[in-house]
Amino acid sequence: MLKSFHSISPIRFSVLIPWFFFLSMDIKIGLVSYGNITSLSITPIEKSFVYINEKKIENSFDIYSYKDKIKLDEDNKVSFLKEVKIKINGTVKIKSKKKERYYKGTIEVKNLKGFLFMVNTVDLEDYVLSVTDSETRHMKNVEAIKANAIAIRSYAIAAGNRHEKQGYNFCDLTHCQLYKGFKDIREKTYKAVRETSGVIMEFDKKPIWAMYHSVCGGATENAKDVWNYDTMPYLVSVKDDIGFKTLCSEGWGYRWRTKIRIKRFERFLQKSVFKNKAEKFVEISNIVYTHSGRVKSLDIISDKRKIAISGINFYHIIGRELGWMAIKSTAFTVSRDNKYIIFDGKGYGHGVGMCQAGADKMGELGYACKDILNHYYEGIKIVKYSYGND
Ligand SMILES: [Zn+2]
Ligand SMILES: [Zn+2]
């Protein structure tokens, strides 16, 4: 979620099923980050073991896609199955050509058009543990990490139907929240998640879409100005300072400058915007800014026409073509010299909700996680739900 600008849609909570039902629900995560893979090697770690379709396995085994089936190779015994359900007791290492991660819970492996696809099921607190570790590796302060864990848990409950059509709750990328499994979880993460177990933020008695991002650059952004959303009155722009001090000024990407050769920029526009190799770039003009200084829209002028484009779309197109580090946020000004077009920007990420660098600073200054949350989310209530055993 750090870098994601994708559009989001809120769920309507049914009157019949109270939302807190979600607290006791398992979370299904589609492990899309593995990409198109045709083989996997699975190893139970230390004293762990797994059950595959009721059969106990303690050693390493391999899985391949084979036509429309799954080939399971365990100790040189080969079987062909429609799908494989791995119940993990402990932790397993799952290795593909490019990736090696550790997982708990249950993993269902399917053959989707010749490629292996995994869905991992864990309980909410384990999901929060993994995401908190994945999304806060750059944060130091435990109170700030606690605040982020509460945001992650709230978001997990509010946004649980994002991938309903694909048959799981979340993907493992920043499109939802980054979920990298359970390898080398930091002690700070365990502490932050344990100490906030069952705690979420509510607005109007419903869990909130608790967005967060790396560095706001001085002020956070209204959700309405990024996604045209009017239903999130708790996601409003706040100045990220206390007294005279900007909280995230030491954060990576607080200020940045990117220079792109005009020839290269023109080639990018010809390919992705003009869709015409002969059209010439003239200038960027008529930049409209939001209240917090982010680009709402701009015009790209060519020798043939004027194309109006939203700040978010511009960010997306440029990110896909020139890399996501080129333009780190939509808070930028544009200038040019003979050779280059120059973007001077503030912050890293969409700027909505909690600024992680600012939160880390607040923690360092002695603020508690509830103070941090109240600074970034407007009018929220922090509520603790019990799992029945704590
Ligand atoms: Zn997703
Ligand atoms: Zn900030």
Side-chain angles (χ1 to χ4, degrees):
M1 194 164 86
L2 274 168
K3 297 181 282 281
S4 176
F5 282 76
H6 297 268
S7 62
I8 44 176
S9 58
I11 50 172
R12 302 263 170 264
F13 288 99
S14 157
V15 182
L16 296 171
I17 306 169
W19 69 259
F20 42 84
F21 178 71
F22 284 82
L23 274 172
S24 59
M25 251 180 65
D26 285 336
I27 306 282
K28 286 179 186 289
I29 309 109
L31 304 183
V32 301
S33 69
Y34 275 82
N36 288 339
I37 43 166
T38 53
S39 68
L40 283 170
S41 153
I42 298 169
T43 310
I45 297 299
E46 287 165 10
K47 292 196 172 80
S48 303
F49 55 90
V50 304
Y51 281 101
I52 296 183
N53 308 340
E54 312 302 320
K55 188 184 172 218
K56 188 174 172 180
I57 298 177
E58 285 168 284
N59 299 318
S60 198
F61 58 98
D62 299 318
I63 287 178
Y64 305 89
S65 67
Y66 181 83
K67 292 178 182 166
D68 64 341
K69 292 219 164 55
I70 289 165
K71 180 175 143 191
L72 182 75
D73 184 345
E74 186 243 329
D75 222 5
N76 293 325
K77 286 188 288 278
V78 172
S79 47
F80 295 90
L81 302 157
K82 191 103 200 82
E83 68 178 61
V84 171
K85 190 169 184 173
I86 307 166
K87 273 194 208 164
I88 304 161
N89 199 307
T91 310
V92 295
K93 179 170 83 185
I94 301 198
K95 198 168 178 303
S96 71
K97 257 193 187 140
K98 290 190 187 144
K99 215 180 262 303
E100 181 186 292
R101 286 182 176 171
Y102 287 47
Y103 293 98
K104 303 183 191 184
T106 306
I107 303 240
E108 284 164 89
V109 191
K110 285 182 182 157
N111 181 329
L112 290 185
K113 294 181 180 155
F115 296 108
L116 298 175
F117 186 73
M118 294 181 280
V119 174
N120 180 206
T121 305
V122 291
D123 67 36
L124 176 66
E125 289 300 318
D126 273 341
Y127 176 72
V128 173
L129 179 75
S130 172
V131 172
T132 302
D133 203 63
S134 308
E135 294 269 21
T136 68
R137 295 299 285 200
H138 55 296
M139 293 167 77
K140 295 188 195 83
N141 184 272
V142 173
E143 283 303 307
I145 299 170
K146 279 165 73 175
N148 216 148
I150 294 170
I152 286 163
R153 191 179 292 103
S154 309
Y155 185 88
I157 297 167
N161 70 346
R162 284 202 90 177
H163 288 278
E164 204 175 20
K165 279 192 191 130
Q166 289 102 320
Y168 46 87
N169 300 100
F170 302 108
C171 68
D172 62 347
L173 300 173
T174 55
H175 168 258
C176 289
Q177 304 193 88
L178 200 57
Y179 174 84
K180 292 164 87 170
F182 297 89
K183 194 181 182 187
D184 299 332
I185 301 267
R186 296 195 299 173
E187 205 40 58
K188 282 177 183 183
T189 310
Y190 279 115
K191 185 173 159 63
V193 174
R194 195 171 54 234
E195 288 182 7
T196 63
S197 169
V199 180
I200 63 161
M201 286 177 277
E202 289 181 0
F203 185 90
D204 225 0
K205 300 205 167 96
K206 294 184 197 82
I208 72 162
W209 288 69
M211 315 297 288
Y212 53 94
H213 58 276
S214 292
V215 178
C216 75
T220 68
E221 182 58 294
N222 297 311
K224 193 165 62 137
D225 288 331
V226 181
W227 295 291
N228 271 331
Y229 254 36
D230 252 339
T231 54
M232 297 175 178
Y234 45 88
L235 294 178
V236 289
S237 177
V238 295
K239 277 194 84 180
D240 201 15
D241 55 29
I242 287 176
F244 60 91
K245 192 168 169 53
T246 299
L247 290 165
C248 59
S249 60
E250 291 154 31
W252 185 84
Y254 176 67
R255 295 288 182 267
W256 49 267
R257 166 172 271 205
T258 297
K259 292 166 87 173
I260 304 171
R261 276 184 189 277
I262 288 170
K263 279 282 153 215
R264 186 173 180 223
F265 190 67
E266 185 174 71
R267 277 199 304 278
F268 146 73
L269 290 174
Q270 286 166 343
K271 185 178 171 203
S272 307
V273 180
F274 303 150
K275 318 256 187 223
N276 173 1
K277 278 190 179 165
E279 202 164 334
K280 296 267 173 250
F281 167 64
V282 177
E283 61 170 343
I284 288 178
S285 72
N286 195 24
I287 303 179
V288 179
Y289 288 97
T290 67
H291 157 85
S292 80
R294 288 172 175 84
V295 175
K296 198 162 192 163
S297 63
L298 51 80
D299 289 346
I300 295 170
I301 315 284
S302 79
D303 58 346
K304 297 200 167 56
R305 56 190 164 144
K306 177 178 91 179
I307 299 170
I309 186 163
S310 74
I312 299 294
N313 274 343
F314 182 73
Y315 166 89
H316 268 303
I317 301 168
I318 217 163
R320 275 197 293 270
E321 205 56 43
L322 304 177
W324 298 99
M325 293 296 143
I327 303 286
K328 295 179 181 63
S329 74
T330 54
F332 58 78
T333 57
V334 185
S335 58
R336 65 183 290 174
D337 57 23
N338 297 336
K339 265 192 185 161
Y340 294 97
I341 181 152
I342 301 156
F343 296 90
D344 282 296
K346 295 179 186 179
Y348 176 38
H350 52 57
V352 178
M354 186 170 74
C355 164
Q356 290 181 311
D360 219 17
K361 190 63 169 183
M362 277 185 83
E364 193 188 311
L365 293 171
Y367 290 93
C369 74
K370 67 173 193 330
D371 304 320
I372 297 171
L373 295 173
N374 280 311
H375 173 63
Y376 291 107
Y377 302 101
E378 181 89 11
I380 48 114
K381 254 182 116 172
I382 300 165
V383 189
K384 181 176 166 71
Y385 288 89
S386 167
Y387 286 100
N389 53 6
D390 56 9

